[in-house]
Amino acid sequence: MTQHFDDALLAEFNQLFNDNPLADSPYFIGMMSGTSLDGMDAVLCEFFDEGEQAVNVVASHSLPFPDDLKSALLALTQPDGTKQYITKHGLGFESELDVFGWASVYYANFASQVVLELLDKANIDAQAVSAIGCHGQTVRHRPQWSFSLQLLDPNVLAERTGIAVVSDFRRRDMAVGGQGAPLVPAFHRAMFQDPTIKAVLNLGGIANITVLGRDGLVQGFDTGVANLLMDAWIHQHQGASYDKDGNWASSGTMVQPLLTLLLEHPFFAKTPPKSTGREEFHLGWLQDNLNQLGLTHPNLAISPADVQATLAELTAQSAANAIKELVTDGTLIVCGGGALNTHLMTRLQAHLPHLTVQSSAKSGVSPILVEGMAFAWLARQTILGRAGNVPAVTGADKEVVLGQVCF
């Protein structure tokens, strides 16, 4: 049976929504844990009215994932990846859904800890914060089938912090024909308004590019893998979580036949809009290519450091190939953890001699905080009833307000 609001009730509902006190405070928290699975970042942002500085970072806080949560998340990102996890950890789980449900609550509790420590560091009461923008952890991204799964129980996060939570940003864009990613280009457009800045490259686990055209026109898409494989490879061989300054990669020699094989991945030949993740780029895929290389070049000696050097070159060259087609001059701003990789930044500049390649730090924004800031901004867009997607980037049919709110 269909029920209808009468006019008076509908007017009262609209008044309550329009008078939403969440829109009164300038403070929003943005949270991000990317495909690298190295931890969770939270940024407390203060937003200003139009005509003033767009956003001020009040405080930031990061924590590495607990080992048991990280291993669960890693298992969930791989098809059938939980089978070995369930056998090893013996927590009574019977299926992938058990792991997903348990990890959703664990992730939310951990996110709550990060938020509460952030508020303590900033000496700001939770009641002063309008909302938390929390993307959650992407465990399966299948734009070809119009779905994307982000692991998070926003109810737990809202209850433990006492702050409204905006989450599930991708699926509204996908409901109107988009890929649900990348979502940060709208924020890049708002943040980097210097006319000399022509593009922004985010180097997280996956790389994505935002091209800032004239009159506010924006293009953007994932260019391929960034830190994901480099982090996984160095962890496998040296137990480190990442290649600091790219020192290990710079100690090796790039292997051209391997790079050629890796660049044959069909994702690189796709035309935008396009997005990707661990489903396509993972250690199993890398090992398959190493095995194939062993068959075609049986006498080729390759050290683990050589593979790392080749992975760095894969990131630099695949990103540069995409950028060259769209940007001919000006400055390329680089953010994400990859901006701290000296070797990777050097290789990017080598491939893009016509551009000035520089970290977002030169623009006054820490490269590791940009994505967290973006989700604070996206949460604010949602609370204010403003669109957060860019159809030219995601392929959506129209602009829509993203996310769901847990009050």
Side-chain angles (χ1 to χ4, degrees):
M1 181 176 69
T2 301
Q3 295 182 337
H4 299 279
F5 289 114
D6 61 35
D7 290 342
L9 185 59
L10 185 58
E12 181 180 356
F13 174 83
N14 287 333
Q15 186 64 40
L16 286 170
F17 182 82
N18 291 330
D19 290 343
N20 180 6
L22 294 181
D24 293 340
S25 172
Y27 296 108
F28 287 79
I29 292 174
M31 307 193 75
M32 187 63 190
S33 62
T35 49
S36 292
L37 289 172
D38 49 358
M40 189 177 296
D41 300 323
V43 186
L44 176 62
C45 296
E46 180 182 12
F47 290 89
F48 299 87
D49 293 335
E50 293 178 359
E52 301 182 43
Q53 180 184 356
V55 57
N56 175 50
V57 174
V58 178
S60 63
H61 189 53
S62 300
L63 286 178
F65 279 125
D67 289 342
D68 52 350
L69 177 57
K70 181 175 182 177
S71 59
L73 295 174
L74 185 59
L76 285 162
T77 61
Q78 298 298 322
D80 296 325
T82 57
K83 290 181 179 179
Q84 183 178 357
Y85 174 84
I86 290 172
T87 300
K88 180 178 180 180
H89 291 274
L91 297 177
F93 300 138
E94 296 180 357
S95 72
E96 187 173 53
L97 287 177
D98 292 336
V99 181
F100 184 94
W102 171 83
S104 297
V105 176
Y106 194 161
Y107 183 99
N109 279 310
F110 179 65
S112 302
Q113 176 188 345
V114 176
V115 168
L116 293 173
E117 291 182 8
L118 171 68
L119 293 174
D120 185 63
K121 179 187 289 189
N123 195 28
I124 287 182
D125 190 88
Q127 293 182 344
V129 180
S130 287
I132 298 168
C134 189
H135 179 268
Q137 184 65 47
T138 301
V139 294
R140 201 63 46 85
H141 182 60
R142 298 295 197 189
Q144 68 271 33
W145 297 324
S146 300
F147 82 85
S148 188
L149 296 179
Q150 279 68 54
L151 179 147
L152 167 70
D153 188 337
N155 304 281
V156 173
L157 180 55
E159 185 64 29
R160 283 205 58 194
T161 61
I163 304 172
V165 176
V166 186
S167 62
D168 196 13
F169 290 93
R170 286 186 175 180
R171 291 196 292 178
R172 184 61 192 275
D173 179 82
M174 300 184 98
V176 291
Q179 296 211 359
L183 293 178
V184 292
F187 173 70
H188 291 161
R189 176 176 58 188
M191 186 68 192
F192 299 104
Q193 297 186 0
D194 183 331
T196 65
I197 298 174
K198 301 298 181 64
V200 182
L201 176 64
N202 178 55
L203 295 176
I206 296 297
N208 56 71
I209 180 71
T210 301
V211 179
L212 304 171
R214 295 179 180 177
D215 302 321
L217 296 177
V218 175
Q219 294 175 277
F221 50 91
D222 288 352
T223 63
V225 68
N227 300 313
L228 193 160
L229 286 175
M230 289 188 287
D231 290 351
W233 186 253
I234 196 171
H235 185 266
Q236 178 174 301
H237 289 273
Q238 296 194 349
S241 57
Y242 67 99
D243 188 1
K244 182 175 174 56
D245 294 325
N247 289 332
W248 194 40
S250 63
S251 73
T253 301
M254 189 271 291
V255 182
Q256 185 60 54
L258 176 59
L259 179 62
T260 300
L261 275 178
L262 298 177
L263 286 171
E264 289 176 357
H265 192 295
F267 177 81
F268 297 120
K270 287 182 180 179
T271 57
K274 60 179 183 176
S275 55
T276 189
R278 283 182 179 270
E279 297 82 5
E280 297 189 75
F281 295 101
H282 47 82
L283 281 180
W285 169 75
L286 173 61
Q287 190 59 56
D288 287 344
N289 280 279
L290 287 170
N291 294 341
Q292 182 177 344
L293 186 68
L295 294 175
T296 57
H297 296 74
N299 297 320
L300 185 61
I302 305 176
S303 71
D306 295 339
V307 175
Q308 187 77 349
T310 307
L311 292 175
E313 194 67 14
L314 173 67
T315 295
Q317 189 164 320
S318 58
N321 288 345
I323 293 166
K324 287 175 185 176
E325 297 182 7
L326 299 170
V327 185
T328 58
D329 59 13
T331 298
L332 171 69
I333 294 293
V334 184
C335 56
L340 306 179
N341 186 321
T342 306
H343 174 72
L344 182 56
M345 291 289 282
T346 300
R347 296 307 304 146
L348 274 169
Q349 185 66 82
H351 284 292
L352 298 167
H354 58 296
L355 299 179
T356 299
V357 178
Q358 65 184 40
S359 165
S360 64
K362 291 287 184 70
S363 299
V365 185
S366 169
I368 61 173
L369 299 183
V370 173
E371 280 202 291
M373 294 171 65
F375 281 96
W377 183 86
L378 285 166
R380 183 171 184 260
Q381 291 293 100
T382 302
I383 295 300
L384 294 175
R386 299 174 181 172
N389 65 331
V390 180
V393 170
T394 66
D397 298 330
K398 60 181 180 179
E399 291 186 343
V400 287
V401 179
L402 302 177
Q404 299 184 38
V405 184
C406 186
F407 292 96

